[in-house]
Amino acid sequence: MSRRPVNPGRRFADGGSIPFVGSVQSKTRSSPLLSIGLLVVGAILLICYMYSGSGTSINTKEAFSKVEGGSSCTLEVQRALPILKKAYGDSMNKVLHVGPDSCSVVSKLLKEDDSQAWGVEPYDLDDADASCKSLVRKGIVRVADIKFPLPYRAKSFSLVIVSDALDYLSPRYLNKTLPELARVSADGVIIFSGYPGQQKAKVAELSKFGHPAKLRSSSWWIKYFVQTKLEENETATKKFEQASTKRKASISSSPTHPQFLRFKPITAVNVTTGSDTDASEESPCDYSDGSWIYDPDFRFDRYDSSCKEIFKGWNCILNNKSNARDIVKWRWKPRNCNLPPFDPLKFLQTYKDTNIGFVGDSLNRNMFVSLFCTLKRVSSEVKKWRPAGADRGFTFLQYNLTIAYHRTNLLARYGRWSANGNGGKLEALGYREGYRVDIDIPDGTWEKATSFHDILIFNTGHWWWAPSKFDPVNSPMLFFEKGQPVLPPIPPDVGLDKVLKHMIQFVEKTTKSGAIKLFRTQSPRHFEGGDWDQGGSCQRSQPLLPEQVEDLFSVKNNGTNVEARLVNQHLYKALKGSNFHLLDITHMSEFRADAHPSSAGGKKHDDCMHWCLPGITDTWNDLLVTHLNSLKIRN
Ligand SMILES: *[C@@H]1O[C@H](CO)[C@@H](O)[C@H](O)[C@H]1NC(C)=O
Ligand SMILES: *[C@@H]1O[C@H](CO)[C@@H](O)[C@H](O)[C@H]1NC(C)=O
Ligand SMILES: *[C@@H]1O[C@H](CO)[C@@H](O)[C@H](O)[C@H]1NC(C)=O
Ligand SMILES: *[C@@H]1O[C@H](CO)[C@@H](O)[C@H](O)[C@H]1NC(C)=O
Ligand SMILES: *[C@@H]1O[C@H](CO)[C@@H](O)[C@H](O)[C@H]1NC(C)=O
Ligand SMILES: *[C@@H]1O[C@H](CO)[C@@H](O)[C@H](O)[C@H]1NC(C)=O
């Protein structure tokens, strides 16, 4: 199956800049090899790297002119098969390959004992050999234009491997084809892309694909995957990483430089709406998935730094934080819809004669303050009081709307514990000092809140990962149930599960009928260069990029701020099956390393945990309102 090469120079010009190739060139000694593997959740993107430079410092143009011979990504696919087999195991038993020379890939897969394989050849097969023709006759390999729906039912294959085919698609078609590939695969899509080397398509065929091959940088793909909602699959990442490390030596004598980035399952893409960016407000939308958009002309007039309720350390404007006024110029844009702006008057009217309670740590107070300042601006007649044992609260008298903040660190009641001179079970185990946490008793600060409020917003998280207070050795958390110590003692993360379980039960039992219960997901911290007490700081003036977010928060990296996603895992588990609604603010907030008080927080250390006000807890409240409105139990 020889194919006439397309003049690389021509494509080079069409493809514009080639930042990706340029950026890894110096790392690559010879070719072809798997220079970069972008391992996605079910999906992997392997940038295959075709030039055969043997030196280390050839310039890019020279490198391209050296492309010759019959190699293509197809060869890379064949080389990668053993790695993929190791990584994916059983999933590799039912594979669809999409791309040129599909016959050869399918043949190779079929040689494996237990493998079933099919192929889609997106190009003409005029010059196919006899065995390929036979595969086509049997319907195992089909010739099909991948710009159109694939002739297979959903989840027909465990894995779909696509090589050298997506490079020809403009974003418009990519938006259709990638979801199609995801649709027919049960476990994931593996993409081989990058500089396609020896081209498959004849010049005459290019028009069929509408586009010459386009070189796309790895960062382009990363961004694309993030936009199209690809999700992390750490299991797959780990497996692939292990498999490729073991195989490294045998794959090529030269060093490979796999780089792993992890995203969300491609299966989240809705095939019918995947390319629809203007979904109507009626259709369900994932408000937590989107990006921050900068609008330098945006005038924020929701409230200002004169709102008295803003805690001193969070008032970044008064504290002269350099980017304090820029923080609110970033607007959250969910991917498939818009987050409606907060209309305070409408809110007051809609929720008149209503009590709203925030129950949780200082991050919930931060959100409470944002709501207060927003409403106060349009309705200044307030009564300040402490409803139902709250730390603070206000009634907007004109509307009889009460909002309150109930301070609780762990949700459960806790207090200092010291060994009893007469001995006891914990004393017998050597415990002298610590904190007693009653997993089945709500903190007194909010035990009356559930029967008072009509809408409750809970959170807990930071205090469970606070070794400076709950030092595992000197002052550990000691969990009690029904007044007795839990034995053997359990670690905090197990305690958190138990507390959540009991507190959720308590809330469900004691709230008024019709009350709305929300649990807010974990607010991320952004300490870099150490934790809060190790000189860590957050000196950024702009939101993070998606790949920086992954770096900082991926559970796998176990970085300083890893608790953000860990806490959520506990929350998701505990809330499953409950009638709580989830207010998912974690991911949108992960980007906002620029929005903490930082060194303007007035503490000895940087505050990279709380948020400047005005700031992103305003967006959390936008989300809260949108969520409440979507429940449609009012109006
Ligand atoms: C393709 O999808 C991406 C991500 O959803 C979007 O940003 C882009 O505008 C879409 N392109 C076209 C041409 O539809
Ligand atoms: C993640 O990958 C593993 C291993 O390939 C697979 O078994 C699992 O189903 C995947 N999980 C998701 C959510 O895709
Ligand atoms: C995709 O979106 C359409 C239109 O909103 C909807 O009817 C369909 O159920 C969705 N499919 C999936 C799998 O979510
Ligand atoms: C902020 O700057 C103003 C004007 O320069 C100054 O008066 C004020 O003291 C500063 N505030 C803080 C907390 O540094
Ligand atoms: C104010 O709202 C509360 C709680 O919804 C209700 O019990 C009370 O009767 C209302 N007061 C007035 C004066 O309407
Ligand atoms: C994560 O890092 C911390 C120290 O920063 C360490 O104590 C802990 O064991 C690590 N956890 C895992 C799962 O590697």
Side-chain angles (χ1 to χ4, degrees):
M1 268 194 291
S2 69
R3 286 187 170 87
R4 193 149 26 89
V6 172
N7 172 5
R10 181 190 125 95
R11 217 174 314 103
F12 190 12
D14 287 335
S17 67
I18 41 165
F20 165 69
V21 173
S23 70
V24 296
Q25 177 187 347
S26 63
K27 287 184 177 171
T28 311
R29 302 285 127 101
S30 73
S31 121
L33 53 82
L34 300 171
S35 58
I36 292 222
L38 296 181
L39 180 60
V40 202
V41 188
I44 301 183
L45 171 63
L46 296 162
I47 305 282
C48 94
Y49 195 68
M50 303 312 311
Y51 79 85
S52 46
S54 52
T56 52
S57 60
I58 17 162
N59 74 36
T60 313
K61 247 193 166 115
E62 212 179 306
F64 281 108
S65 67
K66 287 196 180 185
V67 173
E68 57 184 357
S71 69
S72 71
C73 267
T74 305
L75 187 56
E76 292 302 323
V77 176
Q78 302 206 357
R79 283 165 186 260
L81 288 179
I83 295 179
L84 294 170
K85 198 145 182 84
K86 220 165 189 149
Y88 280 95
D90 288 345
S91 292
M92 281 292 286
N93 297 342
K94 206 169 175 191
V95 174
L96 175 71
H97 173 257
V98 177
D101 293 335
S102 198
C103 282
S104 69
V105 176
V106 169
S107 305
K108 178 150 178 153
L109 280 165
L110 288 176
K111 277 188 197 123
E112 303 281 350
D113 287 336
D114 46 3
S115 290
Q116 294 176 276
W118 288 265
V120 170
E121 166 65 63
Y123 310 99
D124 284 346
L125 273 176
D126 302 337
D127 46 4
D129 60 20
S131 77
C132 186
K133 280 186 175 137
S134 149
L135 286 173
V136 173
R137 243 193 337 270
K138 289 183 199 151
I140 293 175
V141 173
R142 299 181 189 228
V143 181
D145 188 338
I146 58 169
K147 289 211 298 295
F148 299 101
L150 295 171
Y152 301 107
R153 265 198 283 276
K155 297 191 196 304
S156 293
F157 311 96
S158 37
L159 275 186
V160 171
I161 300 174
V162 49
S163 60
D164 285 334
L166 299 180
D167 308 84
Y168 288 96
L169 300 176
S170 67
R172 189 157 73 94
Y173 282 115
L174 200 55
N175 283 357
K176 291 190 173 152
T177 300
L178 207 49
E180 261 299 276
L181 297 173
R183 181 184 67 82
V184 301
S185 77
D187 291 352
V189 179
I190 299 169
I191 300 162
F192 286 77
S193 189
Y195 182 65
Q198 187 68 16
Q199 266 325 296
K200 279 60 57 183
K202 297 165 188 164
V203 180
E205 286 174 326
L206 284 177
S207 60
K208 185 167 113 189
F209 299 97
H211 233 253
K214 207 167 167 63
L215 303 176
R216 290 175 171 129
S217 68
S218 59
S219 59
W220 187 94
W221 281 104
I222 290 163
K223 214 166 125 223
Y224 184 80
F225 283 150
V226 169
Q227 282 172 345
T228 47
K229 209 176 165 190
L230 292 155
E231 203 172 78
E232 178 169 10
N233 179 340
E234 302 213 348
T235 320
T237 311
K238 216 169 263 165
K239 279 183 174 175
F240 184 84
E241 211 165 11
Q242 283 163 356
S244 74
T245 314
K246 276 188 210 134
R247 297 280 313 185
K248 220 191 311 197
S250 55
I251 246 202
S252 159
S253 54
S254 44
T256 58
H257 299 275
Q259 172 193 325
F260 299 98
L261 297 156
R262 299 158 299 279
F263 297 94
K264 306 182 185 177
I266 201 165
T267 45
V269 177
N270 184 325
V271 175
T272 50
T273 59
S275 58
D276 182 1
T277 50
D278 278 311
S280 78
E281 312 243 336
E282 301 299 321
S283 64
C285 168
D286 181 358
Y287 288 97
S288 67
D289 170 35
S291 50
W292 291 95
I293 295 171
Y294 187 66
D295 177 1
D297 299 324
F298 181 70
R299 279 206 51 225
F300 183 86
D301 55 5
R302 190 161 167 156
Y303 61 92
D304 60 32
S305 57
S306 68
C307 177
K308 293 276 189 300
E309 194 58 18
I310 301 177
F311 176 74
K312 216 168 62 202
W314 307 341
N315 200 325
C316 294
I317 293 177
L318 287 191
N319 295 338
N320 301 332
K321 194 189 182 214
S322 60
N323 70 329
R325 289 177 193 278
D326 240 18
I327 289 171
V328 289
K329 293 190 174 170
W330 293 90
R331 181 176 58 89
W332 178 248
K333 170 70 179 83
R335 197 165 66 86
N336 288 319
C337 53
N338 289 307
L339 189 54
F342 195 114
D343 182 342
L345 271 179
K346 182 158 179 236
F347 185 88
L348 287 160
Q349 286 156 3
T350 307
Y351 297 99
K352 63 175 190 285
D353 301 323
T354 304
N355 301 328
I356 302 178
F358 291 82
V359 177
D361 59 29
S362 54
L363 275 302
N364 246 16
R365 177 175 165 194
N366 197 289
M367 183 178 178
F368 160 82
V369 173
S370 153
L371 182 60
F372 171 79
C373 294
T374 304
L375 299 177
K376 176 82 182 336
R377 172 101 179 196
V378 297
S379 182
S380 58
E381 229 183 295
V382 295
K383 175 177 98 171
K384 184 168 183 176
W385 63 304
R386 301 180 55 177
D391 183 69
R392 55 195 59 232
F394 300 89
T395 298
F396 292 86
L397 294 169
Q398 227 181 315
Y399 299 91
N400 188 29
L401 162 64
T402 297
I403 66 172
Y405 165 61
H406 298 261
R407 182 190 167 84
T408 174
N409 294 336
L410 304 177
L411 294 181
R413 187 176 77 183
Y414 78 96
R416 282 223 73 108
W417 178 92
S418 311
N420 186 324
N422 299 329
K425 287 174 176 155
L426 288 171
E427 289 81 349
L429 291 169
Y431 289 98
R432 291 288 161 262
E433 292 289 334
Y435 285 88
R436 166 175 171 159
V437 183
D438 284 281
I439 61 169
D440 46 359
I441 304 178
D443 218 346
T445 54
W446 67 276
E447 62 184 345
K448 294 198 204 77
T450 50
S451 51
F452 179 83
H453 292 292
D454 306 292
I455 298 169
L456 287 144
I457 301 106
F458 291 87
N459 98 291
T460 190
H462 290 294
W463 289 80
W464 294 90
W465 266 255
S468 51
K469 179 157 176 92
F470 302 110
D471 183 303
V473 177
N474 297 318
S475 52
M477 285 177 157
L478 300 165
F479 295 96
F480 281 67
E481 183 169 16
K482 294 191 179 127
Q484 294 300 314
V486 175
L487 293 172
I490 51 175
D493 60 328
V494 180
L496 172 57
D497 288 338
K498 289 186 184 289
V499 164
L500 287 172
K501 185 178 133 223
H502 283 287
M503 295 304 117
I504 288 165
Q505 280 171 2
F506 172 80
V507 173
E508 291 190 328
K509 223 163 45 200
T510 54
T511 39
K512 303 196 227 180
S513 82
I516 300 172
K517 294 150 290 218
L518 297 116
F519 216 106
R520 178 176 63 67
T521 62
Q522 180 69 356
S523 174
R525 308 177 308 148
H526 287 90
F527 285 98
E528 294 181 79
D531 212 327
W532 67 275
D533 53 352
Q534 300 162 345
S537 68
C538 43
Q539 301 283 342
R540 294 179 186 266
S541 54
Q542 300 214 334
L544 300 174
L545 300 171
E547 51 268 42
Q548 293 172 316
V549 164
E550 287 310 308
D551 251 14
L552 209 56
F553 292 104
S554 137
V555 169
K556 186 167 164 275
N557 286 354
N558 191 26
T560 305
N561 312 292
V562 68
E563 86 287 348
R565 293 185 182 183
L566 288 177
V567 167
N568 283 354
Q569 290 174 1
H570 290 272
L571 294 184
Y572 295 151
K573 195 166 79 181
L575 293 168
K576 216 171 179 178
S578 76
N579 55 15
F580 276 73
H581 301 274
L582 207 62
L583 197 61
D584 190 352
I585 54 83
T586 306
H587 186 57
M588 65 158 67
S589 310
E590 283 177 345
F591 291 92
R592 299 307 304 274
D594 59 311
H596 298 283
S598 186
S599 51
K603 300 186 180 179
K604 288 206 187 80
H605 54 83
D606 275 17
D607 184 351
C608 303
M609 175 160 90
H610 300 101
W611 303 100
C612 294
L613 288 172
I616 80 161
T617 56
D618 302 329
T619 306
W620 297 3
N621 280 313
D622 296 347
L623 200 66
L624 169 65
V625 176
T626 303
H627 200 96
L628 291 174
N629 289 343
S630 78
L631 298 176
K632 288 206 165 97
I633 52 117
R634 312 233 156 203
N635 333 348

